[in-house]
Amino acid sequence: MEQQPTATRAVDTVFRLEFPRIVAGVTRIVRDVGIAEELAQDALVAALEQWPRDGVPDNPGAWLTATARHRAVDLVRRRENYARKLAEIGRSLETTAPPEEPADPEDIDDDLLRLVFTTCHPVLSAEARTALTLRLLGGLTTTEIARAFLVPEPTVAQRIVRAKRTLATKNVAFEVPYGPDREARLGSVLDVIYLIFNEGYAATAGDDWLRPALCEDALRLARVLSSLMPKEPEVHALAALLEFQASRAAARTGPGGEPVLLKDQNRRRWNRMLIARGITALHRAEATATGAPGPYTLQATIAACHAHAYTYEETDWASIATLYGLLAARAPSPVVQLNRAVAVSMAEGPEAGLAIVDTLAAEPALRDYHLLPSVRGDLLERLGRTAEARAEFARAAELARNERERELLRRRAAGAG
């Protein structure tokens, strides 16, 4: 009786982990990311039917990938233009790998990276590029993407549908572009990788605070990009930022999976090897820069300030506040301003931080953003305005979609003062 629920859980877990790779691999066959996603879902259905009956295979990820690829082959064979497709893909699709890309010293044989650059094609709007890549590469739901974008869920769903349709009708190639085309798409690629990492670093919904697989995929892609584009400072800066952030992962949750705030983290659990990698990557970013620091360089420098502080009290909050001011000027965002308010409150006192937070109350993008009342509650608590702080923490708990975060905010509401 136990085999069926165990198999079902295995299907869900493996599919979540392998989904991006399955889509990327199948896209090389069908050359259509929308169809590739549907075939990946077909493989999921097949697993749900067979695994509870036959048992979980020894290599479940390979089983899902092979099933999706076989269905892709069948689909191509059913098409009326099968002969032309067969010539493009190879004589024996089931046993022969897809054709190699043109030889080039900068080429990277990485389907996931190809998928990122394909879904970040300039025929799509910036919002559509990011939403589609988060869906296909990160396996995020439309709800999670909407949360990351701070926009309504139906808006994200429409963006994804339209983006897949546009890529298909425009016959966008599944490739890592070269030269100027690669440079043109780089900004979107970096933003996508960063958002994927953030969703793994602090999940917007569900029962788990961390989703390590997303962090690992994003960090791997950032490292690959830094090798691919050694003269791009922002590529190195993104890699540095993710190394610094990933270094704290083990200290960010307690024994029961509950979130641990930065000030309460045991910094001896921070991964010093990842911090060292982050410092090296940040030095590369600074060495290759020719002008003012970009947004990822500024964020990586902020993260480095935290990494260099062996205790919370040693944090150089004045420098962090200054860096957030530069970031707000370089890449204006209400979320950046909210982070600046926290840094200012630590450097100059909670009154100064609260003044900044109160200017953000009318920002439409932050209307349902749970961290706005959470930060305000923290500042009010530090000012001794406990009743107001409780109300803000309670409101933040209502807005939070992640169960672990909601529990933390409820405890803060109950314990304020």
Side-chain angles (χ1 to χ4, degrees):
M1 296 293 293
E2 179 64 21
Q3 183 177 3
Q4 183 164 349
T6 300
T8 302
R9 286 195 299 270
V11 172
D12 181 67
T13 300
V14 174
F15 186 74
R16 186 84 168 180
L17 292 173
E18 298 295 331
F19 176 74
R21 294 176 180 84
I22 297 170
V23 171
V26 173
T27 301
R28 292 193 72 176
I29 297 174
V30 298
R31 304 290 169 168
D32 186 309
V33 294
I35 293 174
E37 184 181 8
E38 292 174 4
L39 292 170
Q41 296 288 349
D42 286 347
L44 170 64
V45 172
L48 289 170
E49 292 173 349
Q50 296 181 38
W51 293 8
R53 182 189 67 225
D54 303 334
V56 179
D58 293 336
N59 191 333
W63 189 100
L64 285 168
T65 300
T67 300
R69 285 177 62 88
H70 290 156
R71 289 171 186 257
V73 170
D74 290 341
L75 177 63
V76 171
R77 285 175 171 164
R78 288 196 302 268
R79 289 176 176 172
E80 292 182 355
N81 60 353
Y82 164 69
R84 181 175 62 83
K85 287 293 182 182
L86 184 59
E88 293 175 358
I89 297 171
R91 293 184 178 278
S92 179
L93 291 172
E94 293 178 323
T95 59
T96 304
E100 297 295 331
E101 298 292 320
D104 188 283
E106 293 185 339
D107 188 34
I108 284 188
D109 185 18
D110 190 311
D111 282 345
L112 284 175
L113 191 60
R114 296 174 198 273
L115 186 60
V116 176
F117 272 96
T118 299
T119 56
C120 289
H121 196 280
V123 298
L124 304 177
S125 68
E127 295 83 4
R129 296 173 208 168
T130 308
L132 181 61
T133 307
L134 284 169
R135 173 72 192 117
L136 297 181
L137 184 78
L140 275 63
T141 65
T142 54
T143 300
E144 292 165 340
I145 299 170
R147 194 70 177 167
F149 279 153
L150 302 179
V151 295
E153 186 174 343
T155 301
V156 171
Q158 290 173 5
R159 286 175 183 171
I160 292 172
V161 170
R162 290 171 182 167
K164 289 189 288 190
R165 185 183 303 127
T166 299
L167 291 177
T169 57
K170 297 290 186 180
N171 293 318
V172 171
F174 182 60
E175 64 182 5
V176 177
Y178 300 98
D181 287 343
R182 180 182 293 172
E183 305 297 329
R185 288 192 233 173
L186 181 60
S188 291
V189 170
L190 297 182
D191 290 345
V192 165
I193 293 173
Y194 185 45
L195 279 173
I196 291 171
F197 182 90
N198 278 348
E199 182 57 34
Y201 194 66
T204 56
D207 297 328
D208 297 320
W209 174 236
L210 298 178
R211 294 172 60 184
L214 288 181
C215 292
E216 291 166 6
D217 267 345
L219 185 53
R220 183 184 67 83
L221 285 169
R223 290 169 177 169
V224 169
L225 268 184
S226 65
S227 298
L228 176 67
M229 310 181 78
K231 297 181 181 180
E232 286 292 336
E234 283 292 86
V235 172
H236 295 304
L238 176 65
L241 175 60
L242 301 195
E243 300 281 8
F244 286 133
Q245 300 289 67
S247 73
R248 307 179 203 165
R252 295 188 71 247
T253 55
E258 67 278 7
V260 178
L261 299 176
L262 180 63
K263 65 183 179 66
D264 299 324
Q265 289 176 16
N266 179 358
R267 299 192 176 206
R268 286 176 294 184
R269 299 189 68 196
W270 286 10
N271 188 317
R272 306 312 299 186
M273 182 190 72
L274 292 181
I275 289 174
R277 290 182 63 101
I279 291 170
T280 299
L282 182 55
H283 286 163
R284 290 194 187 112
E286 293 168 344
T288 54
T290 56
Y296 286 112
T297 300
L298 290 169
Q299 290 181 75
T301 306
I302 291 169
C305 289
H306 289 294
H308 286 304
Y310 283 92
T311 66
Y312 186 73
E313 292 71 25
E314 293 175 15
T315 307
D316 186 356
W317 289 108
S319 293
I320 292 175
T322 298
L323 288 164
Y324 268 122
L326 295 173
L327 182 60
R330 181 72 172 77
S333 159
V335 174
V336 170
Q337 287 289 7
L338 185 61
N339 289 331
R340 185 173 79 88
V342 173
V344 168
S345 77
M346 298 302 299
E348 303 175 18
E351 299 94 338
L354 186 61
I356 298 173
V357 170
D358 286 344
T359 65
L360 300 173
E363 283 285 347
L366 299 182
R367 182 180 56 190
D368 297 322
Y369 191 50
H370 69 285
L371 291 182
L372 179 62
S374 175
V375 169
R376 195 167 191 276
D378 184 70
L379 298 176
L380 291 168
E381 185 177 39
R382 288 166 57 191
L383 288 169
R385 295 162 60 177
T386 56
E388 294 173 85
R390 290 192 192 100
E392 292 291 344
F393 287 134
R395 179 168 176 266
E398 291 177 359
L399 293 173
R401 300 289 295 277
N402 183 278
E403 187 57 36
R404 297 292 188 177
E405 197 170 14
R406 188 181 297 121
E407 291 171 359
L408 172 64
L409 290 165
R410 285 171 177 163
R411 287 198 300 272
R412 297 201 72 185

